[in-house]
Amino acid sequence: MIVSLIGHLGYVGQNIKDALQNSDIENMYLLDRETTHKDMINYISKSNVFIHCAAIQRPKVNVVESFLPNFELTKKIVDNLPETTKLIFISSIHYRS
């Protein structure tokens, strides 16, 4: 199985990455803010599973400014996801945000 993980630098993503590294997956692609759109599309096309736990957390700005970049990233992923690739979407909120 080939897995792509976006959001591996956050708390949830780090724990997922650690668990996957201790499993018998064939390959794991780690995506972050530095990953180009072209590379992201390439990793999506190669993956059996795409785990999305990335989000921009900006508790001090208005809700729309926080929501829009997260929505656009998720839309890019979904729009390029092959039918055979499973998507796992994980979302959380900071306590007191």
PDB file of all heavy atoms in Angstrom, residues 27-45:
ATOM      1  N   ASN A  27       5.214   2.424   0.744  1.00  0.00           N
ATOM      2  CA  ASN A  27       5.839   3.726   0.593  1.00  0.00           C
ATOM      3  C   ASN A  27       4.930   4.784   1.217  1.00  0.00           C
ATOM      4  O   ASN A  27       3.714   4.643   1.208  1.00  0.00           O
ATOM      5  CB  ASN A  27       6.056   4.034  -0.892  1.00  0.00           C
ATOM      6  CG  ASN A  27       7.073   5.121  -1.118  1.00  0.00           C
ATOM      7  OD1 ASN A  27       7.608   5.701  -0.176  1.00  0.00           O
ATOM      8  ND2 ASN A  27       7.339   5.420  -2.380  1.00  0.00           N
ATOM      9  N   MET A  28       5.554   5.851   1.744  1.00  0.00           N
ATOM     10  CA  MET A  28       4.787   6.941   2.319  1.00  0.00           C
ATOM     11  C   MET A  28       5.347   8.265   1.800  1.00  0.00           C
ATOM     12  O   MET A  28       6.546   8.523   1.900  1.00  0.00           O
ATOM     13  CB  MET A  28       4.851   6.929   3.849  1.00  0.00           C
ATOM     14  CG  MET A  28       4.094   8.074   4.481  1.00  0.00           C
ATOM     15  SD  MET A  28       3.882   7.985   6.294  1.00  0.00           S
ATOM     16  CE  MET A  28       5.425   7.389   6.881  1.00  0.00           C
ATOM     17  N   TYR A  29       4.465   9.088   1.227  1.00  0.00           N
ATOM     18  CA  TYR A  29       4.834  10.425   0.784  1.00  0.00           C
ATOM     19  C   TYR A  29       4.371  11.415   1.835  1.00  0.00           C
ATOM     20  O   TYR A  29       3.214  11.392   2.244  1.00  0.00           O
ATOM     21  CB  TYR A  29       4.176  10.766  -0.555  1.00  0.00           C
ATOM     22  CG  TYR A  29       4.606   9.875  -1.687  1.00  0.00           C
ATOM     23  CD1 TYR A  29       3.720   8.953  -2.246  1.00  0.00           C
ATOM     24  CD2 TYR A  29       5.893   9.953  -2.207  1.00  0.00           C
ATOM     25  CE1 TYR A  29       4.107   8.132  -3.291  1.00  0.00           C
ATOM     26  CE2 TYR A  29       6.294   9.134  -3.255  1.00  0.00           C
ATOM     27  CZ  TYR A  29       5.394   8.227  -3.794  1.00  0.00           C
ATOM     28  OH  TYR A  29       5.781   7.415  -4.824  1.00  0.00           O
ATOM     29  N   LEU A  30       5.282  12.285   2.276  1.00  0.00           N
ATOM     30  CA  LEU A  30       4.959  13.299   3.271  1.00  0.00           C
ATOM     31  C   LEU A  30       4.873  14.649   2.576  1.00  0.00           C
ATOM     32  O   LEU A  30       5.845  15.106   1.973  1.00  0.00           O
ATOM     33  CB  LEU A  30       6.023  13.323   4.366  1.00  0.00           C
ATOM     34  CG  LEU A  30       6.196  12.015   5.130  1.00  0.00           C
ATOM     35  CD1 LEU A  30       7.357  12.121   6.111  1.00  0.00           C
ATOM     36  CD2 LEU A  30       4.917  11.623   5.852  1.00  0.00           C
ATOM     37  N   LEU A  31       3.720  15.281   2.664  1.00  0.00           N
ATOM     38  CA  LEU A  31       3.489  16.572   2.029  1.00  0.00           C
ATOM     39  C   LEU A  31       3.363  17.651   3.098  1.00  0.00           C
ATOM     40  O   LEU A  31       2.850  17.394   4.188  1.00  0.00           O
ATOM     41  CB  LEU A  31       2.206  16.535   1.201  1.00  0.00           C
ATOM     42  CG  LEU A  31       2.191  15.596  -0.006  1.00  0.00           C
ATOM     43  CD1 LEU A  31       1.926  14.166   0.390  1.00  0.00           C
ATOM     44  CD2 LEU A  31       1.156  16.051  -0.987  1.00  0.00           C
ATOM     45  N   ASP A  32       3.828  18.843   2.764  1.00  0.00           N
ATOM     46  CA  ASP A  32       3.704  19.980   3.674  1.00  0.00           C
ATOM     47  C   ASP A  32       3.548  21.260   2.868  1.00  0.00           C
ATOM     48  O   ASP A  32       3.325  21.212   1.658  1.00  0.00           O
ATOM     49  CB  ASP A  32       4.889  20.052   4.644  1.00  0.00           C
ATOM     50  CG  ASP A  32       6.230  20.111   3.937  1.00  0.00           C
ATOM     51  OD1 ASP A  32       6.307  20.697   2.832  1.00  0.00           O
ATOM     52  OD2 ASP A  32       7.214  19.590   4.479  1.00  0.00           O
ATOM     53  N   ARG A  33       3.687  22.400   3.529  1.00  0.00           N
ATOM     54  CA  ARG A  33       3.487  23.684   2.845  1.00  0.00           C
ATOM     55  C   ARG A  33       4.475  23.921   1.711  1.00  0.00           C
ATOM     56  O   ARG A  33       4.217  24.706   0.814  1.00  0.00           O
ATOM     57  CB  ARG A  33       3.601  24.828   3.849  1.00  0.00           C
ATOM     58  CG  ARG A  33       2.448  24.865   4.798  1.00  0.00           C
ATOM     59  CD  ARG A  33       2.555  26.070   5.720  1.00  0.00           C
ATOM     60  NE  ARG A  33       1.411  26.073   6.611  1.00  0.00           N
ATOM     61  CZ  ARG A  33       1.486  26.161   7.917  1.00  0.00           C
ATOM     62  NH1 ARG A  33       2.658  26.285   8.500  1.00  0.00           N
ATOM     63  NH2 ARG A  33       0.390  26.153   8.644  1.00  0.00           N
ATOM     64  N   GLU A  34       5.614  23.258   1.769  1.00  0.00           N
ATOM     65  CA  GLU A  34       6.642  23.427   0.739  1.00  0.00           C
ATOM     66  C   GLU A  34       6.389  22.548  -0.488  1.00  0.00           C
ATOM     67  O   GLU A  34       7.035  22.717  -1.519  1.00  0.00           O
ATOM     68  CB  GLU A  34       8.029  23.109   1.313  1.00  0.00           C
ATOM     69  CG  GLU A  34       8.383  23.924   2.559  1.00  0.00           C
ATOM     70  CD  GLU A  34       8.357  25.418   2.320  1.00  0.00           C
ATOM     71  OE1 GLU A  34       8.875  25.866   1.273  1.00  0.00           O
ATOM     72  OE2 GLU A  34       7.805  26.147   3.171  1.00  0.00           O
ATOM     73  N   THR A  35       5.466  21.618  -0.397  1.00  0.00           N
ATOM     74  CA  THR A  35       5.159  20.724  -1.515  1.00  0.00           C
ATOM     75  C   THR A  35       4.467  21.505  -2.621  1.00  0.00           C
ATOM     76  O   THR A  35       3.474  22.187  -2.365  1.00  0.00           O
ATOM     77  CB  THR A  35       4.266  19.556  -1.051  1.00  0.00           C
ATOM     78  OG1 THR A  35       4.897  18.892   0.048  1.00  0.00           O
ATOM     79  CG2 THR A  35       4.021  18.566  -2.170  1.00  0.00           C
ATOM     80  N   THR A  36       4.985  21.397  -3.828  1.00  0.00           N
ATOM     81  CA  THR A  36       4.372  22.117  -4.946  1.00  0.00           C
ATOM     82  C   THR A  36       3.059  21.452  -5.337  1.00  0.00           C
ATOM     83  O   THR A  36       2.828  20.275  -5.044  1.00  0.00           O
ATOM     84  CB  THR A  36       5.303  22.138  -6.169  1.00  0.00           C
ATOM     85  OG1 THR A  36       5.462  20.796  -6.653  1.00  0.00           O
ATOM     86  CG2 THR A  36       6.654  22.751  -5.841  1.00  0.00           C
ATOM     87  N   HIS A  37       2.224  22.220  -6.024  1.00  0.00           N
ATOM     88  CA  HIS A  37       0.948  21.684  -6.508  1.00  0.00           C
ATOM     89  C   HIS A  37       1.202  20.497  -7.439  1.00  0.00           C
ATOM     90  O   HIS A  37       0.533  19.464  -7.338  1.00  0.00           O
ATOM     91  CB  HIS A  37       0.160  22.785  -7.226  1.00  0.00           C
ATOM     92  CG  HIS A  37      -1.139  22.330  -7.785  1.00  0.00           C
ATOM     93  ND1 HIS A  37      -2.234  22.069  -6.996  1.00  0.00           N
ATOM     94  CD2 HIS A  37      -1.511  22.051  -9.058  1.00  0.00           C
ATOM     95  CE1 HIS A  37      -3.233  21.654  -7.758  1.00  0.00           C
ATOM     96  NE2 HIS A  37      -2.823  21.652  -9.010  1.00  0.00           N
ATOM     97  N   LYS A  38       2.180  20.622  -8.318  1.00  0.00           N
ATOM     98  CA  LYS A  38       2.510  19.549  -9.261  1.00  0.00           C
ATOM     99  C   LYS A  38       2.934  18.277  -8.520  1.00  0.00           C
ATOM    100  O   LYS A  38       2.480  17.179  -8.865  1.00  0.00           O
ATOM    101  CB  LYS A  38       3.629  20.020 -10.194  1.00  0.00           C
ATOM    102  CG  LYS A  38       4.026  19.017 -11.230  1.00  0.00           C
ATOM    103  CD  LYS A  38       5.135  19.572 -12.119  1.00  0.00           C
ATOM    104  CE  LYS A  38       5.596  18.527 -13.114  1.00  0.00           C
ATOM    105  NZ  LYS A  38       6.691  19.007 -13.960  1.00  0.00           N
ATOM    106  N   ASP A  39       3.775  18.411  -7.504  1.00  0.00           N
ATOM    107  CA  ASP A  39       4.201  17.242  -6.730  1.00  0.00           C
ATOM    108  C   ASP A  39       3.038  16.633  -5.973  1.00  0.00           C
ATOM    109  O   ASP A  39       2.915  15.404  -5.872  1.00  0.00           O
ATOM    110  CB  ASP A  39       5.326  17.609  -5.765  1.00  0.00           C
ATOM    111  CG  ASP A  39       6.659  17.817  -6.460  1.00  0.00           C
ATOM    112  OD1 ASP A  39       6.822  17.352  -7.617  1.00  0.00           O
ATOM    113  OD2 ASP A  39       7.542  18.447  -5.853  1.00  0.00           O
ATOM    114  N   MET A  40       2.162  17.493  -5.417  1.00  0.00           N
ATOM    115  CA  MET A  40       1.003  16.982  -4.692  1.00  0.00           C
ATOM    116  C   MET A  40       0.131  16.129  -5.610  1.00  0.00           C
ATOM    117  O   MET A  40      -0.288  15.031  -5.235  1.00  0.00           O
ATOM    118  CB  MET A  40       0.177  18.115  -4.090  1.00  0.00           C
ATOM    119  CG  MET A  40      -1.011  17.606  -3.278  1.00  0.00           C
ATOM    120  SD  MET A  40      -1.972  18.898  -2.478  1.00  0.00           S
ATOM    121  CE  MET A  40      -2.816  19.608  -3.858  1.00  0.00           C
ATOM    122  N   ILE A  41      -0.118  16.607  -6.824  1.00  0.00           N
ATOM    123  CA  ILE A  41      -0.924  15.858  -7.787  1.00  0.00           C
ATOM    124  C   ILE A  41      -0.246  14.533  -8.128  1.00  0.00           C
ATOM    125  O   ILE A  41      -0.893  13.483  -8.215  1.00  0.00           O
ATOM    126  CB  ILE A  41      -1.164  16.694  -9.068  1.00  0.00           C
ATOM    127  CG1 ILE A  41      -1.847  18.016  -8.743  1.00  0.00           C
ATOM    128  CG2 ILE A  41      -1.967  15.899 -10.087  1.00  0.00           C
ATOM    129  CD1 ILE A  41      -3.086  17.926  -7.924  1.00  0.00           C
ATOM    130  N   ASN A  42       1.066  14.569  -8.275  1.00  0.00           N
ATOM    131  CA  ASN A  42       1.836  13.356  -8.571  1.00  0.00           C
ATOM    132  C   ASN A  42       1.693  12.338  -7.431  1.00  0.00           C
ATOM    133  O   ASN A  42       1.448  11.152  -7.679  1.00  0.00           O
ATOM    134  CB  ASN A  42       3.305  13.723  -8.797  1.00  0.00           C
ATOM    135  CG  ASN A  42       4.146  12.533  -9.169  1.00  0.00           C
ATOM    136  OD1 ASN A  42       3.711  11.641  -9.893  1.00  0.00           O
ATOM    137  ND2 ASN A  42       5.371  12.527  -8.685  1.00  0.00           N
ATOM    138  N   TYR A  43       1.837  12.782  -6.193  1.00  0.00           N
ATOM    139  CA  TYR A  43       1.705  11.874  -5.045  1.00  0.00           C
ATOM    140  C   TYR A  43       0.289  11.325  -4.931  1.00  0.00           C
ATOM    141  O   TYR A  43       0.099  10.144  -4.633  1.00  0.00           O
ATOM    142  CB  TYR A  43       2.095  12.584  -3.744  1.00  0.00           C
ATOM    143  CG  TYR A  43       3.524  13.061  -3.693  1.00  0.00           C
ATOM    144  CD1 TYR A  43       3.864  14.220  -3.016  1.00  0.00           C
ATOM    145  CD2 TYR A  43       4.544  12.365  -4.334  1.00  0.00           C
ATOM    146  CE1 TYR A  43       5.176  14.669  -2.966  1.00  0.00           C
ATOM    147  CE2 TYR A  43       5.860  12.812  -4.292  1.00  0.00           C
ATOM    148  CZ  TYR A  43       6.167  13.964  -3.611  1.00  0.00           C
ATOM    149  OH  TYR A  43       7.461  14.411  -3.562  1.00  0.00           O
ATOM    150  N   ILE A  44      -0.700  12.169  -5.171  1.00  0.00           N
ATOM    151  CA  ILE A  44      -2.088  11.710  -5.124  1.00  0.00           C
ATOM    152  C   ILE A  44      -2.298  10.580  -6.132  1.00  0.00           C
ATOM    153  O   ILE A  44      -2.912   9.560  -5.820  1.00  0.00           O
ATOM    154  CB  ILE A  44      -3.067  12.876  -5.398  1.00  0.00           C
ATOM    155  CG1 ILE A  44      -3.090  13.856  -4.228  1.00  0.00           C
ATOM    156  CG2 ILE A  44      -4.480  12.350  -5.668  1.00  0.00           C
ATOM    157  CD1 ILE A  44      -3.877  15.126  -4.495  1.00  0.00           C
ATOM    158  N   SER A  45      -1.766  10.755  -7.329  1.00  0.00           N
ATOM    159  CA  SER A  45      -1.990   9.752  -8.381  1.00  0.00           C
ATOM    160  C   SER A  45      -1.307   8.429  -8.076  1.00  0.00           C
ATOM    161  O   SER A  45      -1.735   7.384  -8.563  1.00  0.00           O
ATOM    162  CB  SER A  45      -1.517  10.293  -9.733  1.00  0.00           C
ATOM    163  OG  SER A  45      -0.109  10.399  -9.763  1.00  0.00           O
TER     164      SER A  45
END
